[in-house]
């Protein structure tokens, strides 16, 4: 469980930094560190409000990787919590 938490934190940090560096197009709406962190949090949790989104191809690739890894990480976390409940019932 600790490794899932560490991977999640690292994904959030590296994705925020990466998207901020990549989204340098004039059309980009991710311009500040807080924008990048907000976009990363809504993408990794698959909420996706649509208020912030990448406009470059590399930014979209980062978003795709973040969505897939976020789904896997939250699935792992959910499975861990379920296993705790199952062990308590036995």
């Amino acid at each position: 469980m600790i490794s899932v938490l560490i991977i999640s934190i690292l994904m959030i940090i590296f994705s925020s930094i990466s998207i901020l560096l990549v989204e340098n197009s004039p059309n980009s709406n991710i311009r500040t560190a807080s924008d990048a962190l907000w976009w990363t949090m809504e993408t990794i949790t698959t909420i996706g409000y649509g208020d912030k989104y990448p406009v470059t191809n590399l930014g979209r690739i980062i978003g795709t990787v973040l969505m897939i890894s976020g789904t896997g990480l939250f699935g792992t976390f959910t499975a861990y919590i379920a296993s705790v409940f199952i062990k308590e019932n036995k």
Side-chain angles (χ1 to χ4, degrees), residues 8-20 30-45 52 66:
S8 298
I9 292 170
L10 289 175
M11 285 297 295
I12 291 168
I13 292 169
F14 287 126
S15 295
S16 295
I17 293 169
S18 299
I19 202 71
L20 191 58
I30 302 173
R31 296 190 176 157
T32 65
S34 64
D35 288 345
L37 185 59
W38 175 253
W39 173 83
T40 301
M41 290 305 295
E42 71 180 9
T43 303
I44 200 169
T45 58
K52 304 290 179 200
L66 189 60

PDB file of all heavy atoms in Angstrom, residues 8-20 30-45 52 66:
ATOM      1  N   SER A   8       1.586   7.187  -6.549  1.00  0.00           N
ATOM      2  CA  SER A   8       0.563   8.212  -6.802  1.00  0.00           C
ATOM      3  C   SER A   8       1.117   9.616  -6.622  1.00  0.00           C
ATOM      4  O   SER A   8       0.892  10.496  -7.456  1.00  0.00           O
ATOM      5  CB  SER A   8      -0.627   8.018  -5.867  1.00  0.00           C
ATOM      6  OG  SER A   8      -1.239   6.791  -6.080  1.00  0.00           O
ATOM      7  N   ILE A   9       1.832   9.832  -5.541  1.00  0.00           N
ATOM      8  CA  ILE A   9       2.419  11.150  -5.277  1.00  0.00           C
ATOM      9  C   ILE A   9       3.423  11.520  -6.359  1.00  0.00           C
ATOM     10  O   ILE A   9       3.427  12.656  -6.856  1.00  0.00           O
ATOM     11  CB  ILE A   9       3.046  11.191  -3.870  1.00  0.00           C
ATOM     12  CG1 ILE A   9       1.938  11.118  -2.815  1.00  0.00           C
ATOM     13  CG2 ILE A   9       3.898  12.442  -3.683  1.00  0.00           C
ATOM     14  CD1 ILE A   9       2.433  10.918  -1.406  1.00  0.00           C
ATOM     15  N   LEU A  10       4.261  10.555  -6.752  1.00  0.00           N
ATOM     16  CA  LEU A  10       5.242  10.828  -7.796  1.00  0.00           C
ATOM     17  C   LEU A  10       4.568  11.116  -9.138  1.00  0.00           C
ATOM     18  O   LEU A  10       5.010  12.006  -9.876  1.00  0.00           O
ATOM     19  CB  LEU A  10       6.212   9.654  -7.940  1.00  0.00           C
ATOM     20  CG  LEU A  10       7.197   9.473  -6.795  1.00  0.00           C
ATOM     21  CD1 LEU A  10       8.021   8.215  -6.992  1.00  0.00           C
ATOM     22  CD2 LEU A  10       8.108  10.692  -6.672  1.00  0.00           C
ATOM     23  N   MET A  11       3.498  10.400  -9.452  1.00  0.00           N
ATOM     24  CA  MET A  11       2.770  10.659 -10.694  1.00  0.00           C
ATOM     25  C   MET A  11       2.184  12.071 -10.693  1.00  0.00           C
ATOM     26  O   MET A  11       2.223  12.764 -11.703  1.00  0.00           O
ATOM     27  CB  MET A  11       1.648   9.639 -10.887  1.00  0.00           C
ATOM     28  CG  MET A  11       2.103   8.266 -11.303  1.00  0.00           C
ATOM     29  SD  MET A  11       2.907   8.237 -12.901  1.00  0.00           S
ATOM     30  CE  MET A  11       1.587   8.708 -13.976  1.00  0.00           C
ATOM     31  N   ILE A  12       1.648  12.493  -9.556  1.00  0.00           N
ATOM     32  CA  ILE A  12       1.072  13.836  -9.456  1.00  0.00           C
ATOM     33  C   ILE A  12       2.147  14.896  -9.642  1.00  0.00           C
ATOM     34  O   ILE A  12       1.978  15.854 -10.408  1.00  0.00           O
ATOM     35  CB  ILE A  12       0.338  14.005  -8.112  1.00  0.00           C
ATOM     36  CG1 ILE A  12      -0.918  13.133  -8.096  1.00  0.00           C
ATOM     37  CG2 ILE A  12      -0.001  15.470  -7.852  1.00  0.00           C
ATOM     38  CD1 ILE A  12      -1.556  13.000  -6.735  1.00  0.00           C
ATOM     39  N   ILE A  13       3.271  14.729  -8.975  1.00  0.00           N
ATOM     40  CA  ILE A  13       4.353  15.712  -9.064  1.00  0.00           C
ATOM     41  C   ILE A  13       4.926  15.779 -10.479  1.00  0.00           C
ATOM     42  O   ILE A  13       5.029  16.858 -11.081  1.00  0.00           O
ATOM     43  CB  ILE A  13       5.458  15.400  -8.036  1.00  0.00           C
ATOM     44  CG1 ILE A  13       4.932  15.626  -6.619  1.00  0.00           C
ATOM     45  CG2 ILE A  13       6.700  16.238  -8.297  1.00  0.00           C
ATOM     46  CD1 ILE A  13       5.848  15.106  -5.530  1.00  0.00           C
ATOM     47  N   PHE A  14       5.304  14.617 -11.021  1.00  0.00           N
ATOM     48  CA  PHE A  14       5.945  14.609 -12.336  1.00  0.00           C
ATOM     49  C   PHE A  14       4.986  15.013 -13.450  1.00  0.00           C
ATOM     50  O   PHE A  14       5.387  15.690 -14.399  1.00  0.00           O
ATOM     51  CB  PHE A  14       6.573  13.248 -12.631  1.00  0.00           C
ATOM     52  CG  PHE A  14       7.817  12.995 -11.827  1.00  0.00           C
ATOM     53  CD1 PHE A  14       7.934  11.850 -11.065  1.00  0.00           C
ATOM     54  CD2 PHE A  14       8.858  13.902 -11.810  1.00  0.00           C
ATOM     55  CE1 PHE A  14       9.074  11.617 -10.317  1.00  0.00           C
ATOM     56  CE2 PHE A  14       9.999  13.689 -11.065  1.00  0.00           C
ATOM     57  CZ  PHE A  14      10.112  12.540 -10.312  1.00  0.00           C
ATOM     58  N   SER A  15       3.724  14.641 -13.341  1.00  0.00           N
ATOM     59  CA  SER A  15       2.758  15.035 -14.373  1.00  0.00           C
ATOM     60  C   SER A  15       2.498  16.533 -14.335  1.00  0.00           C
ATOM     61  O   SER A  15       2.365  17.173 -15.382  1.00  0.00           O
ATOM     62  CB  SER A  15       1.452  14.272 -14.191  1.00  0.00           C
ATOM     63  OG  SER A  15       1.657  12.905 -14.393  1.00  0.00           O
ATOM     64  N   SER A  16       2.425  17.095 -13.141  1.00  0.00           N
ATOM     65  CA  SER A  16       2.210  18.546 -13.029  1.00  0.00           C
ATOM     66  C   SER A  16       3.376  19.314 -13.628  1.00  0.00           C
ATOM     67  O   SER A  16       3.171  20.276 -14.383  1.00  0.00           O
ATOM     68  CB  SER A  16       2.036  18.944 -11.563  1.00  0.00           C
ATOM     69  OG  SER A  16       0.887  18.382 -11.021  1.00  0.00           O
ATOM     70  N   ILE A  17       4.567  18.882 -13.319  1.00  0.00           N
ATOM     71  CA  ILE A  17       5.757  19.557 -13.864  1.00  0.00           C
ATOM     72  C   ILE A  17       5.824  19.374 -15.377  1.00  0.00           C
ATOM     73  O   ILE A  17       6.071  20.334 -16.118  1.00  0.00           O
ATOM     74  CB  ILE A  17       7.037  19.047 -13.182  1.00  0.00           C
ATOM     75  CG1 ILE A  17       7.048  19.470 -11.719  1.00  0.00           C
ATOM     76  CG2 ILE A  17       8.278  19.544 -13.895  1.00  0.00           C
ATOM     77  CD1 ILE A  17       8.123  18.815 -10.881  1.00  0.00           C
ATOM     78  N   SER A  18       5.593  18.152 -15.827  1.00  0.00           N
ATOM     79  CA  SER A  18       5.676  17.857 -17.262  1.00  0.00           C
ATOM     80  C   SER A  18       4.658  18.658 -18.067  1.00  0.00           C
ATOM     81  O   SER A  18       4.996  19.231 -19.104  1.00  0.00           O
ATOM     82  CB  SER A  18       5.447  16.366 -17.514  1.00  0.00           C
ATOM     83  OG  SER A  18       6.421  15.604 -16.880  1.00  0.00           O
ATOM     84  N   ILE A  19       3.421  18.679 -17.611  1.00  0.00           N
ATOM     85  CA  ILE A  19       2.384  19.383 -18.374  1.00  0.00           C
ATOM     86  C   ILE A  19       2.646  20.884 -18.394  1.00  0.00           C
ATOM     87  O   ILE A  19       2.388  21.556 -19.385  1.00  0.00           O
ATOM     88  CB  ILE A  19       0.969  19.052 -17.846  1.00  0.00           C
ATOM     89  CG1 ILE A  19      -0.086  19.322 -18.921  1.00  0.00           C
ATOM     90  CG2 ILE A  19       0.633  19.821 -16.602  1.00  0.00           C
ATOM     91  CD1 ILE A  19      -0.071  18.366 -20.055  1.00  0.00           C
ATOM     92  N   LEU A  20       3.203  21.406 -17.322  1.00  0.00           N
ATOM     93  CA  LEU A  20       3.525  22.833 -17.279  1.00  0.00           C
ATOM     94  C   LEU A  20       4.642  23.168 -18.268  1.00  0.00           C
ATOM     95  O   LEU A  20       4.610  24.215 -18.916  1.00  0.00           O
ATOM     96  CB  LEU A  20       3.914  23.241 -15.852  1.00  0.00           C
ATOM     97  CG  LEU A  20       4.018  24.726 -15.574  1.00  0.00           C
ATOM     98  CD1 LEU A  20       2.698  25.430 -15.872  1.00  0.00           C
ATOM     99  CD2 LEU A  20       4.411  24.953 -14.128  1.00  0.00           C
ATOM    100  N   ILE A  30      -3.377  25.901 -19.586  1.00  0.00           N
ATOM    101  CA  ILE A  30      -2.616  25.469 -18.407  1.00  0.00           C
ATOM    102  C   ILE A  30      -1.355  26.317 -18.393  1.00  0.00           C
ATOM    103  O   ILE A  30      -0.385  26.034 -19.082  1.00  0.00           O
ATOM    104  CB  ILE A  30      -2.274  23.960 -18.481  1.00  0.00           C
ATOM    105  CG1 ILE A  30      -3.551  23.135 -18.611  1.00  0.00           C
ATOM    106  CG2 ILE A  30      -1.483  23.542 -17.252  1.00  0.00           C
ATOM    107  CD1 ILE A  30      -3.312  21.659 -18.864  1.00  0.00           C
ATOM    108  N   ARG A  31      -1.383  27.381 -17.595  1.00  0.00           N
ATOM    109  CA  ARG A  31      -0.291  28.359 -17.634  1.00  0.00           C
ATOM    110  C   ARG A  31       0.458  28.512 -16.321  1.00  0.00           C
ATOM    111  O   ARG A  31       1.591  28.975 -16.308  1.00  0.00           O
ATOM    112  CB  ARG A  31      -0.836  29.715 -18.049  1.00  0.00           C
ATOM    113  CG  ARG A  31      -1.387  29.666 -19.446  1.00  0.00           C
ATOM    114  CD  ARG A  31      -1.701  31.000 -19.970  1.00  0.00           C
ATOM    115  NE  ARG A  31      -2.124  30.830 -21.360  1.00  0.00           N
ATOM    116  CZ  ARG A  31      -2.862  31.670 -22.003  1.00  0.00           C
ATOM    117  NH1 ARG A  31      -3.269  32.757 -21.418  1.00  0.00           N
ATOM    118  NH2 ARG A  31      -3.205  31.434 -23.254  1.00  0.00           N
ATOM    119  N   THR A  32      -0.156  28.163 -15.212  1.00  0.00           N
ATOM    120  CA  THR A  32       0.492  28.337 -13.913  1.00  0.00           C
ATOM    121  C   THR A  32       0.653  26.982 -13.239  1.00  0.00           C
ATOM    122  O   THR A  32       0.059  25.981 -13.662  1.00  0.00           O
ATOM    123  CB  THR A  32      -0.340  29.249 -12.997  1.00  0.00           C
ATOM    124  OG1 THR A  32      -1.587  28.605 -12.711  1.00  0.00           O
ATOM    125  CG2 THR A  32      -0.593  30.604 -13.634  1.00  0.00           C
ATOM    126  N   ALA A  33       1.449  26.962 -12.190  1.00  0.00           N
ATOM    127  CA  ALA A  33       1.653  25.721 -11.429  1.00  0.00           C
ATOM    128  C   ALA A  33       0.342  25.240 -10.812  1.00  0.00           C
ATOM    129  O   ALA A  33       0.069  24.039 -10.783  1.00  0.00           O
ATOM    130  CB  ALA A  33       2.707  25.929 -10.347  1.00  0.00           C
ATOM    131  N   SER A  34      -0.481  26.156 -10.365  1.00  0.00           N
ATOM    132  CA  SER A  34      -1.764  25.739  -9.784  1.00  0.00           C
ATOM    133  C   SER A  34      -2.693  25.173 -10.864  1.00  0.00           C
ATOM    134  O   SER A  34      -3.442  24.230 -10.601  1.00  0.00           O
ATOM    135  CB  SER A  34      -2.430  26.886  -9.035  1.00  0.00           C
ATOM    136  OG  SER A  34      -2.763  27.932  -9.902  1.00  0.00           O
ATOM    137  N   ASP A  35      -2.639  25.722 -12.078  1.00  0.00           N
ATOM    138  CA  ASP A  35      -3.400  25.143 -13.190  1.00  0.00           C
ATOM    139  C   ASP A  35      -2.940  23.712 -13.473  1.00  0.00           C
ATOM    140  O   ASP A  35      -3.757  22.815 -13.682  1.00  0.00           O
ATOM    141  CB  ASP A  35      -3.228  25.960 -14.478  1.00  0.00           C
ATOM    142  CG  ASP A  35      -3.939  27.288 -14.457  1.00  0.00           C
ATOM    143  OD1 ASP A  35      -4.807  27.493 -13.580  1.00  0.00           O
ATOM    144  OD2 ASP A  35      -3.619  28.128 -15.325  1.00  0.00           O
ATOM    145  N   ALA A  36      -1.629  23.520 -13.489  1.00  0.00           N
ATOM    146  CA  ALA A  36      -1.066  22.201 -13.777  1.00  0.00           C
ATOM    147  C   ALA A  36      -1.433  21.196 -12.690  1.00  0.00           C
ATOM    148  O   ALA A  36      -1.804  20.058 -12.987  1.00  0.00           O
ATOM    149  CB  ALA A  36       0.450  22.298 -13.907  1.00  0.00           C
ATOM    150  N   LEU A  37      -1.370  21.611 -11.437  1.00  0.00           N
ATOM    151  CA  LEU A  37      -1.732  20.717 -10.338  1.00  0.00           C
ATOM    152  C   LEU A  37      -3.222  20.393 -10.381  1.00  0.00           C
ATOM    153  O   LEU A  37      -3.623  19.239 -10.188  1.00  0.00           O
ATOM    154  CB  LEU A  37      -1.357  21.342  -8.992  1.00  0.00           C
ATOM    155  CG  LEU A  37      -1.572  20.467  -7.771  1.00  0.00           C
ATOM    156  CD1 LEU A  37      -0.759  19.190  -7.875  1.00  0.00           C
ATOM    157  CD2 LEU A  37      -1.205  21.219  -6.510  1.00  0.00           C
ATOM    158  N   TRP A  38      -4.053  21.373 -10.660  1.00  0.00           N
ATOM    159  CA  TRP A  38      -5.496  21.148 -10.768  1.00  0.00           C
ATOM    160  C   TRP A  38      -5.797  20.164 -11.897  1.00  0.00           C
ATOM    161  O   TRP A  38      -6.564  19.213 -11.725  1.00  0.00           O
ATOM    162  CB  TRP A  38      -6.229  22.465 -11.000  1.00  0.00           C
ATOM    163  CG  TRP A  38      -7.685  22.279 -11.239  1.00  0.00           C
ATOM    164  CD1 TRP A  38      -8.357  22.404 -12.418  1.00  0.00           C
ATOM    165  CD2 TRP A  38      -8.669  21.908 -10.269  1.00  0.00           C
ATOM    166  NE1 TRP A  38      -9.682  22.144 -12.247  1.00  0.00           N
ATOM    167  CE2 TRP A  38      -9.905  21.830 -10.931  1.00  0.00           C
ATOM    168  CE3 TRP A  38      -8.612  21.640  -8.911  1.00  0.00           C
ATOM    169  CZ2 TRP A  38     -11.073  21.493 -10.278  1.00  0.00           C
ATOM    170  CZ3 TRP A  38      -9.787  21.308  -8.258  1.00  0.00           C
ATOM    171  CH2 TRP A  38     -10.997  21.234  -8.946  1.00  0.00           C
ATOM    172  N   TRP A  39      -5.182  20.373 -13.066  1.00  0.00           N
ATOM    173  CA  TRP A  39      -5.396  19.480 -14.189  1.00  0.00           C
ATOM    174  C   TRP A  39      -4.944  18.064 -13.847  1.00  0.00           C
ATOM    175  O   TRP A  39      -5.638  17.089 -14.167  1.00  0.00           O
ATOM    176  CB  TRP A  39      -4.650  19.988 -15.427  1.00  0.00           C
ATOM    177  CG  TRP A  39      -4.708  19.015 -16.547  1.00  0.00           C
ATOM    178  CD1 TRP A  39      -5.731  18.870 -17.438  1.00  0.00           C
ATOM    179  CD2 TRP A  39      -3.743  18.028 -16.886  1.00  0.00           C
ATOM    180  NE1 TRP A  39      -5.445  17.834 -18.307  1.00  0.00           N
ATOM    181  CE2 TRP A  39      -4.225  17.308 -17.985  1.00  0.00           C
ATOM    182  CE3 TRP A  39      -2.503  17.683 -16.351  1.00  0.00           C
ATOM    183  CZ2 TRP A  39      -3.524  16.271 -18.573  1.00  0.00           C
ATOM    184  CZ3 TRP A  39      -1.798  16.639 -16.929  1.00  0.00           C
ATOM    185  CH2 TRP A  39      -2.302  15.942 -18.027  1.00  0.00           C
ATOM    186  N   THR A  40      -3.803  17.943 -13.180  1.00  0.00           N
ATOM    187  CA  THR A  40      -3.290  16.622 -12.813  1.00  0.00           C
ATOM    188  C   THR A  40      -4.234  15.912 -11.859  1.00  0.00           C
ATOM    189  O   THR A  40      -4.529  14.727 -12.035  1.00  0.00           O
ATOM    190  CB  THR A  40      -1.894  16.747 -12.175  1.00  0.00           C
ATOM    191  OG1 THR A  40      -1.014  17.367 -13.118  1.00  0.00           O
ATOM    192  CG2 THR A  40      -1.340  15.401 -11.786  1.00  0.00           C
ATOM    193  N   MET A  41      -4.742  16.614 -10.862  1.00  0.00           N
ATOM    194  CA  MET A  41      -5.634  15.984  -9.882  1.00  0.00           C
ATOM    195  C   MET A  41      -6.954  15.560 -10.530  1.00  0.00           C
ATOM    196  O   MET A  41      -7.463  14.479 -10.242  1.00  0.00           O
ATOM    197  CB  MET A  41      -5.898  16.928  -8.707  1.00  0.00           C
ATOM    198  CG  MET A  41      -4.688  17.143  -7.825  1.00  0.00           C
ATOM    199  SD  MET A  41      -3.961  15.631  -7.194  1.00  0.00           S
ATOM    200  CE  MET A  41      -5.281  15.029  -6.175  1.00  0.00           C
ATOM    201  N   GLU A  42      -7.517  16.386 -11.394  1.00  0.00           N
ATOM    202  CA  GLU A  42      -8.782  16.003 -12.021  1.00  0.00           C
ATOM    203  C   GLU A  42      -8.579  14.920 -13.066  1.00  0.00           C
ATOM    204  O   GLU A  42      -9.501  14.147 -13.336  1.00  0.00           O
ATOM    205  CB  GLU A  42      -9.515  17.207 -12.598  1.00  0.00           C
ATOM    206  CG  GLU A  42      -8.898  17.823 -13.810  1.00  0.00           C
ATOM    207  CD  GLU A  42      -9.672  19.021 -14.328  1.00  0.00           C
ATOM    208  OE1 GLU A  42     -10.601  19.494 -13.666  1.00  0.00           O
ATOM    209  OE2 GLU A  42      -9.324  19.483 -15.419  1.00  0.00           O
ATOM    210  N   THR A  43      -7.393  14.810 -13.627  1.00  0.00           N
ATOM    211  CA  THR A  43      -7.128  13.770 -14.623  1.00  0.00           C
ATOM    212  C   THR A  43      -6.814  12.433 -13.962  1.00  0.00           C
ATOM    213  O   THR A  43      -7.323  11.401 -14.397  1.00  0.00           O
ATOM    214  CB  THR A  43      -5.974  14.194 -15.548  1.00  0.00           C
ATOM    215  OG1 THR A  43      -6.309  15.437 -16.161  1.00  0.00           O
ATOM    216  CG2 THR A  43      -5.722  13.163 -16.622  1.00  0.00           C
ATOM    217  N   ILE A  44      -6.000  12.435 -12.918  1.00  0.00           N
ATOM    218  CA  ILE A  44      -5.632  11.172 -12.273  1.00  0.00           C
ATOM    219  C   ILE A  44      -6.835  10.535 -11.577  1.00  0.00           C
ATOM    220  O   ILE A  44      -6.927   9.324 -11.468  1.00  0.00           O
ATOM    221  CB  ILE A  44      -4.444  11.346 -11.296  1.00  0.00           C
ATOM    222  CG1 ILE A  44      -3.777   9.999 -11.024  1.00  0.00           C
ATOM    223  CG2 ILE A  44      -4.880  11.998  -9.994  1.00  0.00           C
ATOM    224  CD1 ILE A  44      -2.443  10.100 -10.302  1.00  0.00           C
ATOM    225  N   THR A  45      -7.791  11.340 -11.146  1.00  0.00           N
ATOM    226  CA  THR A  45      -8.992  10.799 -10.522  1.00  0.00           C
ATOM    227  C   THR A  45     -10.100  10.552 -11.544  1.00  0.00           C
ATOM    228  O   THR A  45     -11.191  10.148 -11.163  1.00  0.00           O
ATOM    229  CB  THR A  45      -9.526  11.752  -9.434  1.00  0.00           C
ATOM    230  OG1 THR A  45      -9.801  13.019 -10.023  1.00  0.00           O
ATOM    231  CG2 THR A  45      -8.539  11.903  -8.304  1.00  0.00           C
ATOM    232  N   LYS A  52      -9.619  22.739 -17.705  1.00  0.00           N
ATOM    233  CA  LYS A  52      -8.203  22.739 -18.087  1.00  0.00           C
ATOM    234  C   LYS A  52      -7.961  21.491 -18.914  1.00  0.00           C
ATOM    235  O   LYS A  52      -8.394  20.397 -18.552  1.00  0.00           O
ATOM    236  CB  LYS A  52      -7.286  22.717 -16.855  1.00  0.00           C
ATOM    237  CG  LYS A  52      -7.522  23.849 -15.884  1.00  0.00           C
ATOM    238  CD  LYS A  52      -7.068  25.155 -16.456  1.00  0.00           C
ATOM    239  CE  LYS A  52      -7.335  26.269 -15.462  1.00  0.00           C
ATOM    240  NZ  LYS A  52      -7.357  27.555 -16.107  1.00  0.00           N
ATOM    241  N   LEU A  66      -1.479   9.445 -17.631  1.00  0.00           N
ATOM    242  CA  LEU A  66      -1.972   9.776 -16.290  1.00  0.00           C
ATOM    243  C   LEU A  66      -3.339   9.154 -16.036  1.00  0.00           C
ATOM    244  O   LEU A  66      -3.599   8.650 -14.940  1.00  0.00           O
ATOM    245  CB  LEU A  66      -2.027  11.295 -16.125  1.00  0.00           C
ATOM    246  CG  LEU A  66      -2.312  11.825 -14.737  1.00  0.00           C
ATOM    247  CD1 LEU A  66      -1.241  11.368 -13.754  1.00  0.00           C
ATOM    248  CD2 LEU A  66      -2.371  13.340 -14.765  1.00  0.00           C
TER     249      LEU A  66
END
